[in-house]
Amino acid sequence: MTDRVPGRDPRPDLPELNEPVMIAAFEGWNDAGEAASTALEHLELSWDATPLDSIDPEDYYDFQVTRPLVRLSDGVSRRVEWQTTRLSVATLPGTDRHVVLLNGIEPNLRWRSFCAELLGYVEALGVTKVITLGAMQTETPHTRPTPISGFSFDRGSAGELRVEPSSYEGPTGIVGVFHQACVEAGVPAVSFWASVPHYVSQARVPKAAVALLHRVEEVLDVEVPLGGLPEQAEEWERTVSEMADADDEVREYVRQLEEQASEEEQAAASDLEEASGDAIAADFERYLRRRGSGSSGS
């Protein structure tokens, strides 16, 4: 690994893990529609993750922005709970491998030191790959499948993961900074970003969270139980459609976005026709393996 900016070292009694992968998401600017944080929290619950460690928030957060919370203890006394970035660990279903889940809050201060501290955990835990999740506001209709863009640590892996390269240039958040820090440190890293309709991005968007979880499934080659998220996504889409239909201007705007999306889907379908039969068969076999069906006779 390359030299990194000094940060606090992880505690010395961290457990030994088996080929762990780290999945990270951060609340804040990187999390339109709370899609990334919802996906990460769903993984914590589905995989029964246990707490591993947390980042001391003192150096990284402005407490007037990321305020501590007051909680009741035993229904009588109060305690202060400091919001911060936390790590937990779980075993990937059907394997003996571990996954480290990084449930973060975008820091207000000292981003390079913050990333250096996270890289300390990556190194100490022997993390083999880092997957970052994000979500951004785009001009996409809520009625179409959620587009997922992203970037990877090299061109070859991007092709294998079918990551659509992002053409975005401009201000970035902690997801982009941490991803780059991993690559510079020699840690394989891939980042997935869900496109959230900008006209509904202020509310929780479970449909985008489901799309991110599907990409996690593909990368890890394991089934991710979705629980009630698909039903929540359907209910969300119905509700937004009803609201859009009630306003002539919004309904026309959504129609224009749908036409634009249809043109893009046709172009994507044309590209798909050029894919080799072997590649499609390999994708299908991986899907069957994740779902536990297998490819042998029934």
Side-chain angles (χ1 to χ4, degrees):
M1 293 187 178
T2 58
D3 293 338
R4 55 185 174 89
V5 177
R8 288 192 178 93
D9 290 328
R11 69 172 204 247
D13 60 339
L14 291 174
E16 290 188 13
L17 304 181
N18 184 30
E19 299 183 42
V21 173
M22 175 180 283
I23 305 175
F26 297 86
E27 299 175 16
W29 188 87
N30 318 264
D31 193 26
E34 301 178 15
S37 58
T38 296
L40 199 287
E41 290 167 5
H42 181 80
L43 292 176
E44 289 177 324
L45 292 173
S46 298
W47 290 341
D48 195 23
T50 57
L52 183 64
D53 208 352
S54 62
I55 304 297
D56 187 336
E58 189 73 19
D59 288 343
Y60 306 121
Y61 297 100
D62 179 346
F63 297 133
Q64 290 182 318
V65 178
T66 307
R67 289 187 176 273
L69 304 174
V70 173
R71 303 289 192 188
L72 283 177
S73 180
D74 301 325
V76 180
S77 60
R78 293 176 178 269
R79 60 182 176 82
V80 174
E81 182 178 288
W82 298 92
Q83 299 192 80
T84 188
T85 293
R86 305 180 187 280
L87 297 95
S88 58
V89 64
T91 301
L92 286 174
T95 77
D96 58 356
R97 296 186 60 192
H98 290 100
V99 58
V100 178
L101 300 172
L102 180 66
N103 193 341
I105 301 173
E106 184 174 70
N108 310 111
L109 307 164
R110 301 181 180 89
W111 283 22
R112 288 184 298 173
S113 296
F114 179 79
C115 288
E117 187 160 343
L118 297 184
L119 284 174
Y121 285 98
V122 169
E123 184 173 2
L125 293 168
V127 169
T128 59
K129 178 182 291 184
V130 173
I131 304 168
T132 57
L133 305 178
M136 55 188 171
Q137 302 178 28
T138 66
E139 292 185 339
T140 187
H142 69 279
T143 53
R144 290 288 191 272
T146 301
I148 300 291
S149 61
F151 40 94
S152 189
F153 57 97
D154 61 22
R155 191 177 300 274
S157 63
E160 292 175 3
L161 298 173
R162 292 180 287 108
V163 174
E164 292 295 331
S166 173
S167 60
Y168 173 78
E169 291 183 320
T172 189
I174 194 61
V175 171
V177 173
F178 180 48
H179 174 92
Q180 186 62 32
C182 290
V183 173
E184 291 177 353
V187 180
V190 60
S191 188
F192 293 120
W193 287 76
S195 294
V196 174
H198 69 90
Y199 52 91
V200 290
S201 61
Q202 300 306 312
R204 184 171 173 266
V205 183
K207 184 176 180 178
V210 170
L212 286 171
L213 290 171
H214 282 317
R215 297 314 302 266
V216 170
E217 261 192 336
E218 294 176 8
V219 173
L220 299 182
D221 199 20
V222 298
E223 179 182 358
V224 175
L226 297 178
L229 277 179
E231 289 76 16
Q232 295 175 29
E234 292 175 2
E235 176 63 25
W236 172 86
E237 186 171 330
R238 282 195 299 269
T239 300
V240 175
S241 293
E242 291 171 0
M243 295 172 61
D245 289 342
D247 188 300
D248 291 341
E249 185 175 348
V250 175
R251 184 171 63 251
E252 174 60 20
Y253 178 64
V254 172
R255 186 191 66 78
Q256 294 175 6
L257 291 180
E258 288 176 331
E259 289 182 355
Q260 178 180 327
S262 295
E263 294 175 359
E264 294 173 353
E265 288 169 1
Q266 290 175 2
S270 177
D271 292 340
L272 181 61
E273 291 177 357
E274 300 177 3
S276 71
D278 289 343
I280 295 174
D283 284 344
F284 187 61
E285 287 177 2
R286 282 196 296 270
Y287 174 81
L288 291 177
R289 188 163 59 249
R290 287 198 303 271
R291 296 296 168 182
S293 301
S295 56
S296 58
S298 55

